Amino acid sequence: MLLDHNAQGVFAIAVTPFTPGGAVDTASVDRVTDFYLSCGVSGLTILGMMGEAPKLDAAEALAISRQVVHRANVPVVVGVSAPGFAGMRSLARGVMDAGAAGVMIAPPSSLRTDDQIVNYFAQAVAAIGADIPFVLQDYPLVLAVVMTPKVIRQIVMDNPSCVMLKHEDWPGLEKISALRNFQRDGSMRPLSILCGNGGLFLDFEMERGADGAMTGYAFPDMLVDVVKLARAGDRAAAHDLFDAHLPLIRYEQQQGIGLAVRKYVLQKRGAIAHDAQRAPSSTLSAGARAEIDYLLSRLARHDPRAKL
Amino acid sequence: MLLDHNAQGVFAIAVTPFTPGGAVDTASVDRVTDFYLSCGVSGLTILGMMGEAPKLDAAEALAISRQVVHRANVPVVVGVSAPGFAGMRSLARGVMDAGAAGVMIAPPSSLRTDDQIVNYFAQAVAAIGADIPFVLQDYPLVLAVVMTPKVIRQIVMDNPSCVMLKHEDWPGLEKISALRNFQRDGSMRPLSILCGNGGLFLDFEMERGADGAMTGYAFPDMLVDVVKLARAGDRAAAHDLFDAHLPLIRYEQQQGIGLAVRKYVLQKRGAIAHDAQRAPSSTLSAGARAEIDYLLSRLARHDPRAKL
Amino acid sequence: MLLDHNAQGVFAIAVTPFTPGGAVDTASVDRVTDFYLSCGVSGLTILGMMGEAPKLDAAEALAISRQVVHRANVPVVVGVSAPGFAGMRSLARGVMDAGAAGVMIAPPSSLRTDDQIVNYFAQAVAAIGADIPFVLQDYPLVLAVVMTPKVIRQIVMDNPSCVMLKHEDWPGLEKISALRNFQRDGSMRPLSILCGNGGLFLDFEMERGADGAMTGYAFPDMLVDVVKLARAGDRAAAHDLFDAHLPLIRYEQQQGIGLAVRKYVLQKRGAIAHDAQRAPSSTLSAGARAEIDYLLSRLARHDPRAKL
Amino acid sequence: MLLDHNAQGVFAIAVTPFTPGGAVDTASVDRVTDFYLSCGVSGLTILGMMGEAPKLDAAEALAISRQVVHRANVPVVVGVSAPGFAGMRSLARGVMDAGAAGVMIAPPSSLRTDDQIVNYFAQAVAAIGADIPFVLQDYPLVLAVVMTPKVIRQIVMDNPSCVMLKHEDWPGLEKISALRNFQRDGSMRPLSILCGNGGLFLDFEMERGADGAMTGYAFPDMLVDVVKLARAGDRAAAHDLFDAHLPLIRYEQQQGIGLAVRKYVLQKRGAIAHDAQRAPSSTLSAGARAEIDYLLSRLARHDPRAKL
């Protein structure tokens, strides 16, 4: 089941569960996989930035990939961004052998010019093999690499294995429109566009032509519902549900502690046994936990899933 | 009326109105000043990043400062960040002579170490004069300069003329708590903390001990109300009002077009005659304008001020 | 006498002389201008990064420009890079009225994509006027903006007033070759290329097709000689002279203290009365001064101009 | 044979030899190791930035480390910088088990504040174990992390396993003096300081108190001689030899092609069979190769080792 440009819906960015002692919590790997599936996700993305991938060694990364792929009945995308192509290739070939549907690649922060970016992805494809479908991650806020729609089109047209864009440019609504216009004018082949950025603009991203979301917000079931409502054209209902969650989505956006917020909520929802991160980790103060609890209690008035 | 550490409430970051031809729209300078005053702001901040300050020449900057100071019966803070201290000094002395209450200084992006940051503000104070109260702007997302609470304390303790922090670190809730703890343990003298970041975290910033907001959201009257409710301890009401505005606050956060959104709404509210920016400017697509209109219509269900 | 693409030889990047008290040393402005002229330079560039331009206010910048233009019988280029186009226009129009031959513009560090860079220079030309010849400064090491040869060609072809490249990419030898190939294949009109980077690669830059140097090394007379020898095809002599100076050129390359080294040597050569910088300034330790003296004594064995 | 603070002399930064097809050239690994030893180096540093480490997968990195450690009768330092601590730990434990003398750690580019830097090295030591001696790499030009002398002292004093500084700040002469002053005033324990930056300032770095060089210049035998002459107090001879090499040292400094220059010269010297880099690689144009040949021919007049 290889990833292709028809992918849509929600691909949850999965957390990697750890025990308080720092070991991979393999029981919770199954549990959180089941949780995501129960939320109705169309796919899973593991070992992304939010998956604490750099804290895993190569053997652990492969083991977790195998476990999730084996458990999930949906396509699994594995983040393989690496400082060099050797490590990228090893992991990519390994996870595809284990049954992954595709991989995700982010450009390194050192890239500046349009040509450098285009060349990088050509080299990455040469390294991992053109038979592996890949997701192009466009995340300038964190990666400091800015890709114009033209550059994305170039990468898509140069590399048939580029089947999806993880869109998290900010602001990025016009970029979605520009890419869809490229498809309409025939200058770019079809591309799946799933949006990240913690879901902060999902309401309008869907209206601009996105195919869904690929992000790690702790209520993937809400994301699934918003995507469905948007696709069904039920605009007011989509915004109503989205707006109810927005205070928490916004709170989770805080860089540095976003993952801690996410794991805290996932633990409260029973999806993982511990909210521990492997060191180096960020932790929530008592004040922050109380703020999240307050946000959940307010959210629960609109969405019973937040009654925790 | 010099700025001091007792400042609180909302200091609106004022836009600079232009005509479609690119001239300063002096009639609208008065109009928007009156608008802010009618919103109940405690002060005004002009020539900030959102004030298109770098697009003004020195004479224009001084003229606008004089006009606003003359019109407003509240303290006016003027942004004087500059690539060199000569320009900073000229503008700072000029606007203080014109009756400004204080100036705001952002650190240049080249600063890296703690000592470099501390030294920069010592030099800035030496340049403009220790008699001018100044606001320290802490905005790592845009400025790429990261100041720890300890560094801020050092700047405050080294420079008696540092009376206010424009807080827009992100995430920054714990930073407010840390600074207030410094005051409580006696290691830092009192400091006014007004929060920026477009107001995106104002609900919790107030609860952490902020004195108010210094930001440019197009509904400063809402900011005034949220600050009042928070200070009065009416937590639920503060969050209810804030949450109703959050979809639009979030939309305005988009870097690059945030100012265009802001001017578009301010024009709809009658605060300025044109939503034009001086070149180089960002513009809103028809789609974006329709999205804002939709957000306003949804907001109007909760806040009649959004019926435009 | 407007700058055009036929410019060649050495354009010295002039220091701005200050008194120990921080005032502009107007007597030394004349003295250092005469010094540069006596070195045989073809032109002068003032108010560049090394000219402490950001430490001057607008009136000082204009006054110095007038003084130098009036004194010099060679073309004078004035740096007008600014955070906004209003300040850039004011200074550019002012110095051209005063008789400058052209202006120099560096891209702001925020630019990333090819299109952003190309657009920036289109906007800059619109701001200052297409009648003012300008030098494109390409200095990625400091500016963090990377321009490919294709982007430079685009800027040159889009803007007839772009007549010169200040080349200080690093490494940049292949870039000179690429640009000269563009001229040969007819895809780019002729462009003067003068090289910066403190002269560190001048020996080979001349051989790759540069027209000369635009840099501030404290022995512009050596730069003049190397350019002449290279143009005359006297390769060994050019390298011999260059290599004799290389230990000092290299020493002057140290960012942060480079200007202090330069002013120290210029003062020893009698070109300026004081080696003072306006605050904030870098200073040389006793050890550093002794190192420079030692380098000069070693250099004097090969070049009598270094006997100081 | 663990690395300690008494280390001195030259630690060559070793290249990793590849075949034109991209495989590790294991025969050349031995050959280049023997070459470095024949140059009189005191130690070797492998898998640094110049060692194309990110292009190796984990198994290759370990295999090369074993081969070099087995072959060399001098201490071998292995670069273990990694995006996460899991990978860093795996490689560090692996190479120490294989007999390495210590490891080298560079800070990730995301670090900004003094505290972040200090904390990072505390976490790194916790991850790899306090029993592994490590070299602190201080390379702001490439890493964008600026460590003041005070921060380095803090790291040294916090972590007994920090035994050496790879000094490549730029400019960095005053930093060496500052650190040696810390030792003299008793506030910092002894620390080995070996200098990088391609050797560009080695002449003066030795005079400021450095213990030697850790860099990859293609004439490590010259570095060994300069260090010896400097330690013997033969100042003029040290500078004479250094200056003869400076035109080539300078040429090798060009970021992006520096490694290609280095491998080209090493191949000419017979140290490696091929000058190939594993993809993605930089290549030398015919013009660049001719320039290097010319520099070698000029150098050969002063140093017979350059007759190639």
Side-chain angles (χ1 to χ4, degrees):
Chain A
M1 186 167 49
L2 290 180
L3 196 70
D4 66 29
H5 72 262
N6 295 308
Q8 59 176 54
V10 174
F11 277 56
I13 302 274
V15 296
T16 301
F18 293 100
T19 67
V24 174
D25 177 357
T26 50
S28 284
V29 171
D30 277 351
R31 205 208 290 192
V32 79
T33 302
D34 294 346
F35 166 79
Y36 289 128
L37 296 174
S38 75
C39 290
V41 300
S42 308
L44 285 172
T45 301
I46 61 174
L47 305 187
M49 294 178 191
M50 272 304 188
E52 301 178 63
K55 303 179 194 167
L56 302 172
D57 66 24
E60 290 172 323
L62 201 51
I64 291 172
S65 300
R66 286 196 179 113
Q67 186 178 352
V68 173
V69 166
H70 183 260
R71 186 87 176 182
N73 57 355
V74 294
V76 176
V77 172
V78 183
V80 298
S81 303
F85 290 127
M88 186 187 293
R89 176 185 168 81
S90 292
L91 184 56
R93 303 304 313 181
V95 300
M96 293 307 289
D97 287 348
V103 302
M104 182 161 70
I105 304 173
S109 298
S110 55
L111 302 180
R112 283 290 170 274
T113 71
D114 291 2
D115 288 350
Q116 286 173 343
I117 299 167
V118 168
N119 289 342
Y120 180 81
F121 283 97
Q123 293 170 330
V125 169
I128 66 172
D131 57 320
I132 300 184
F134 78 93
V135 180
L136 172 61
Q137 187 173 11
D138 180 23
Y139 196 9
L141 187 69
V142 163
L143 300 170
V145 176
V146 183
M147 304 188 210
T148 62
K150 284 192 297 182
V151 163
I152 293 172
R153 178 174 60 185
Q154 187 76 40
I155 295 168
V156 170
M157 297 310 284
D158 286 354
N159 303 285
S161 56
C162 181
V163 296
M164 184 188 285
L165 175 71
K166 184 180 185 203
H167 168 281
E168 35 196 344
D169 197 355
W170 192 12
L173 295 174
E174 299 301 334
K175 184 176 265 188
I176 297 173
S177 298
L179 292 171
R180 291 310 187 206
N181 281 338
F182 287 158
Q183 289 182 229
R184 267 188 287 276
D185 72 20
S187 66
M188 190 178 79
R189 60 177 170 76
L191 178 75
S192 172
I193 300 179
L194 299 189
C195 296
N197 264 327
L200 194 63
F201 295 94
L202 183 59
D203 47 350
F204 289 113
E205 287 162 344
M206 289 306 298
E207 297 175 16
R208 292 291 186 117
D211 294 301
M214 183 185 278
T215 192
Y217 180 55
F219 287 86
D221 27 4
M222 180 281 286
L223 300 174
V224 168
D225 290 348
V226 166
V227 168
K228 273 186 198 156
L229 290 166
R231 295 179 70 91
D234 198 347
R235 189 180 200 191
H239 279 274
D240 285 345
L241 178 56
F242 179 84
D243 288 355
H245 280 263
L246 189 51
L248 181 58
I249 291 176
R250 174 271 326 240
Y251 198 92
E252 218 188 69
Q253 278 286 321
Q254 298 177 79
Q255 291 214 1
I257 66 161
L259 176 59
V261 175
R262 201 164 279 182
K263 283 195 157 183
Y264 177 73
V265 177
L266 286 174
Q267 184 192 20
K268 291 195 93 154
R269 296 194 74 185
I272 52 179
H274 315 280
D275 67 351
Q277 296 171 44
R278 183 173 275 186
S281 62
S282 55
T283 50
L284 298 175
S285 66
R289 284 195 301 273
E291 287 165 347
I292 300 166
D293 290 346
Y294 182 66
L295 287 170
L296 288 170
S297 72
R298 287 178 57 83
L299 173 57
R301 299 174 308 167
H302 303 285
D303 189 334
R305 293 173 290 208
K307 284 207 180 83
L308 301 174
Chain B
M1 186 167 49
L2 290 181
L3 196 70
D4 66 30
H5 71 263
N6 294 308
Q8 60 176 52
V10 175
F11 277 56
I13 302 274
V15 297
T16 301
F18 292 101
T19 67
V24 174
D25 177 358
T26 49
S28 284
V29 172
D30 278 350
R31 205 208 290 192
V32 80
T33 302
D34 294 346
F35 167 79
Y36 290 127
L37 296 174
S38 75
C39 289
V41 301
S42 307
L44 285 171
T45 302
I46 61 174
L47 306 187
M49 294 178 191
M50 274 302 189
E52 301 177 67
K55 302 178 193 166
L56 302 172
D57 66 25
E60 289 173 323
L62 201 52
I64 291 171
S65 300
R66 286 196 179 114
Q67 185 178 352
V68 173
V69 166
H70 183 260
R71 185 87 176 182
N73 56 354
V74 295
V76 176
V77 172
V78 183
V80 297
S81 303
F85 290 127
M88 185 186 292
R89 176 186 168 81
S90 292
L91 184 56
R93 303 304 314 181
V95 299
M96 293 306 290
D97 286 349
V103 301
M104 182 160 70
I105 304 173
S109 299
S110 55
L111 302 180
R112 282 291 170 274
T113 71
D114 290 2
D115 288 350
Q116 286 173 345
I117 299 168
V118 168
N119 289 341
Y120 180 81
F121 283 98
Q123 292 170 330
V125 169
I128 65 172
D131 56 321
I132 300 183
F134 79 92
V135 179
L136 172 61
Q137 187 173 13
D138 180 23
Y139 195 9
L141 188 70
V142 164
L143 301 170
V145 176
V146 183
M147 304 188 212
T148 62
K150 283 191 297 183
V151 163
I152 292 171
R153 178 174 59 185
Q154 187 76 40
I155 295 168
V156 169
M157 297 311 283
D158 286 355
N159 303 285
S161 56
C162 180
V163 297
M164 184 188 286
L165 176 70
K166 184 179 185 204
H167 168 280
E168 35 196 344
D169 198 354
W170 191 12
L173 296 174
E174 299 301 334
K175 184 175 264 187
I176 298 172
S177 297
L179 291 170
R180 290 310 188 207
N181 281 337
F182 286 159
Q183 289 182 230
R184 268 189 286 276
D185 71 20
S187 66
M188 191 178 78
R189 62 178 169 76
L191 179 74
S192 173
I193 302 180
L194 300 190
C195 296
N197 265 326
L200 194 63
F201 295 94
L202 183 61
D203 47 350
F204 289 113
E205 287 162 345
M206 288 306 298
E207 298 176 15
R208 292 292 186 114
D211 294 301
M214 183 186 279
T215 192
Y217 180 55
F219 287 85
D221 28 4
M222 181 282 286
L223 300 174
V224 167
D225 290 348
V226 166
V227 168
K228 274 187 197 154
L229 289 166
R231 295 180 70 92
D234 198 346
R235 191 180 198 189
H239 280 275
D240 285 345
L241 177 56
F242 179 84
D243 287 357
H245 280 262
L246 188 51
L248 181 58
I249 291 175
R250 174 272 326 240
Y251 198 92
E252 218 188 67
Q253 277 287 320
Q254 298 178 79
Q255 292 214 359
I257 65 160
L259 176 59
V261 176
R262 199 164 280 183
K263 283 194 157 182
Y264 178 73
V265 177
L266 287 173
Q267 184 193 20
K268 291 194 94 152
R269 297 194 74 185
I272 52 179
H274 316 281
D275 67 352
Q277 296 171 43
R278 181 174 275 186
S281 62
S282 55
T283 51
L284 297 175
S285 67
R289 284 195 301 273
E291 287 165 347
I292 300 166
D293 291 345
Y294 183 65
L295 287 170
L296 288 170
S297 72
R298 288 178 56 83
L299 174 57
R301 299 174 308 167
H302 303 284
D303 189 334
R305 292 174 290 208
K307 283 207 182 84
L308 299 175
Chain C
M1 185 166 50
L2 290 181
L3 196 70
D4 65 30
H5 71 263
N6 295 308
Q8 59 176 53
V10 174
F11 277 56
I13 301 274
V15 296
T16 301
F18 292 101
T19 67
V24 174
D25 177 358
T26 49
S28 284
V29 172
D30 277 351
R31 206 208 289 192
V32 79
T33 302
D34 293 346
F35 167 80
Y36 288 127
L37 296 174
S38 75
C39 289
V41 300
S42 307
L44 284 172
T45 302
I46 61 174
L47 305 188
M49 293 178 193
M50 273 303 189
E52 301 177 66
K55 302 178 194 168
L56 302 172
D57 66 24
E60 289 172 323
L62 200 52
I64 291 172
S65 301
R66 287 199 179 112
Q67 186 178 353
V68 173
V69 166
H70 183 259
R71 186 85 176 183
N73 57 355
V74 294
V76 176
V77 173
V78 183
V80 297
S81 304
F85 290 127
M88 185 186 292
R89 177 185 168 81
S90 292
L91 185 56
R93 302 305 313 181
V95 299
M96 294 306 290
D97 287 348
V103 301
M104 183 160 70
I105 304 173
S109 299
S110 55
L111 302 181
R112 282 292 170 272
T113 71
D114 291 3
D115 289 349
Q116 285 173 344
I117 299 168
V118 168
N119 289 341
Y120 180 80
F121 283 98
Q123 292 170 330
V125 169
I128 65 171
D131 56 320
I132 300 184
F134 80 93
V135 180
L136 172 61
Q137 187 172 14
D138 181 21
Y139 196 9
L141 188 69
V142 164
L143 300 171
V145 176
V146 183
M147 303 188 212
T148 62
K150 283 191 299 183
V151 163
I152 293 171
R153 178 174 59 185
Q154 187 75 41
I155 294 168
V156 170
M157 297 310 283
D158 286 354
N159 303 286
S161 56
C162 180
V163 297
M164 184 187 285
L165 176 70
K166 183 176 187 207
H167 168 281
E168 36 197 344
D169 198 354
W170 193 12
L173 295 174
E174 300 302 335
K175 184 175 265 188
I176 297 172
S177 297
L179 291 171
R180 290 310 188 207
N181 282 338
F182 286 158
Q183 289 182 228
R184 268 188 287 276
D185 72 19
S187 67
M188 191 179 78
R189 61 178 171 76
L191 179 73
S192 173
I193 302 179
L194 300 189
C195 296
N197 265 327
L200 194 65
F201 295 94
L202 183 60
D203 47 350
F204 289 113
E205 287 163 343
M206 289 306 298
E207 298 175 17
R208 293 291 187 115
D211 294 301
M214 183 186 279
T215 192
Y217 180 55
F219 287 86
D221 26 5
M222 181 283 283
L223 300 174
V224 168
D225 290 347
V226 166
V227 168
K228 274 187 197 155
L229 290 166
R231 295 179 70 92
D234 198 347
R235 190 181 200 190
H239 280 274
D240 285 345
L241 178 57
F242 179 84
D243 287 356
H245 280 264
L246 188 51
L248 182 58
I249 291 175
R250 174 272 325 241
Y251 198 91
E252 217 188 68
Q253 277 287 320
Q254 297 177 80
Q255 291 215 0
I257 66 161
L259 175 59
V261 176
R262 199 163 281 182
K263 283 195 156 181
Y264 177 74
V265 177
L266 287 173
Q267 184 193 21
K268 290 195 94 151
R269 297 194 73 186
I272 51 178
H274 315 280
D275 68 352
Q277 295 170 45
R278 182 173 276 187
S281 62
S282 55
T283 51
L284 297 175
S285 67
R289 284 195 301 271
E291 287 164 347
I292 300 166
D293 291 345
Y294 183 65
L295 287 170
L296 287 170
S297 73
R298 287 178 57 82
L299 173 57
R301 298 173 309 166
H302 304 284
D303 188 334
R305 293 173 289 208
K307 284 207 181 81
L308 300 175
Chain D
M1 185 166 51
L2 290 181
L3 195 71
D4 66 28
H5 72 263
N6 294 308
Q8 60 175 54
V10 174
F11 276 57
I13 301 274
V15 296
T16 301
F18 293 100
T19 68
V24 174
D25 177 357
T26 50
S28 284
V29 171
D30 277 352
R31 206 208 290 192
V32 79
T33 301
D34 293 347
F35 166 79
Y36 289 127
L37 296 174
S38 76
C39 288
V41 301
S42 307
L44 285 171
T45 302
I46 61 174
L47 306 188
M49 293 177 192
M50 273 304 188
E52 301 177 64
K55 302 178 195 168
L56 303 171
D57 67 24
E60 290 172 323
L62 201 52
I64 291 172
S65 300
R66 286 198 178 111
Q67 186 178 351
V68 173
V69 166
H70 183 260
R71 186 85 177 183
N73 56 356
V74 295
V76 176
V77 172
V78 183
V80 297
S81 304
F85 290 127
M88 185 186 292
R89 175 185 169 83
S90 292
L91 184 56
R93 303 305 313 182
V95 300
M96 294 306 292
D97 286 348
V103 301
M104 183 160 69
I105 303 173
S109 299
S110 55
L111 301 181
R112 282 290 170 274
T113 71
D114 291 2
D115 288 349
Q116 285 173 344
I117 299 168
V118 168
N119 289 341
Y120 181 80
F121 284 97
Q123 293 170 330
V125 169
I128 66 171
D131 56 320
I132 300 184
F134 79 93
V135 180
L136 172 61
Q137 187 172 13
D138 180 23
Y139 196 8
L141 189 68
V142 164
L143 300 171
V145 177
V146 183
M147 303 188 212
T148 62
K150 284 191 296 182
V151 162
I152 293 171
R153 178 173 59 184
Q154 186 76 39
I155 294 168
V156 170
M157 297 310 283
D158 286 354
N159 303 286
S161 57
C162 180
V163 297
M164 184 188 285
L165 175 71
K166 183 178 186 205
H167 168 280
E168 36 196 343
D169 197 355
W170 192 12
L173 297 174
E174 300 301 334
K175 184 176 265 188
I176 298 173
S177 298
L179 291 170
R180 290 311 187 205
N181 281 338
F182 287 158
Q183 288 182 231
R184 267 189 287 277
D185 72 19
S187 66
M188 192 179 78
R189 61 179 171 76
L191 179 74
S192 173
I193 300 178
L194 300 189
C195 296
N197 264 327
L200 194 65
F201 295 95
L202 183 60
D203 48 350
F204 289 113
E205 287 163 344
M206 289 306 299
E207 297 175 16
R208 292 293 186 116
D211 293 301
M214 182 186 280
T215 191
Y217 180 56
F219 287 85
D221 26 5
M222 180 283 284
L223 300 174
V224 168
D225 291 348
V226 166
V227 168
K228 274 188 197 154
L229 289 166
R231 296 179 69 90
D234 199 346
R235 190 181 199 189
H239 279 274
D240 285 345
L241 178 56
F242 179 84
D243 287 355
H245 280 264
L246 188 50
L248 182 57
I249 290 175
R250 175 272 325 239
Y251 197 91
E252 219 188 68
Q253 277 288 321
Q254 297 177 80
Q255 292 215 1
I257 66 161
L259 176 60
V261 176
R262 201 164 279 182
K263 284 194 156 182
Y264 177 74
V265 177
L266 286 173
Q267 184 193 20
K268 291 195 93 153
R269 297 193 74 185
I272 52 178
H274 316 281
D275 67 351
Q277 297 171 44
R278 180 173 278 186
S281 62
S282 54
T283 51
L284 297 175
S285 67
R289 283 195 300 273
E291 287 164 347
I292 300 167
D293 291 346
Y294 183 65
L295 287 170
L296 288 170
S297 72
R298 287 178 57 84
L299 174 57
R301 300 174 308 166
H302 302 285
D303 189 334
R305 293 173 290 207
K307 284 207 181 81
L308 300 175

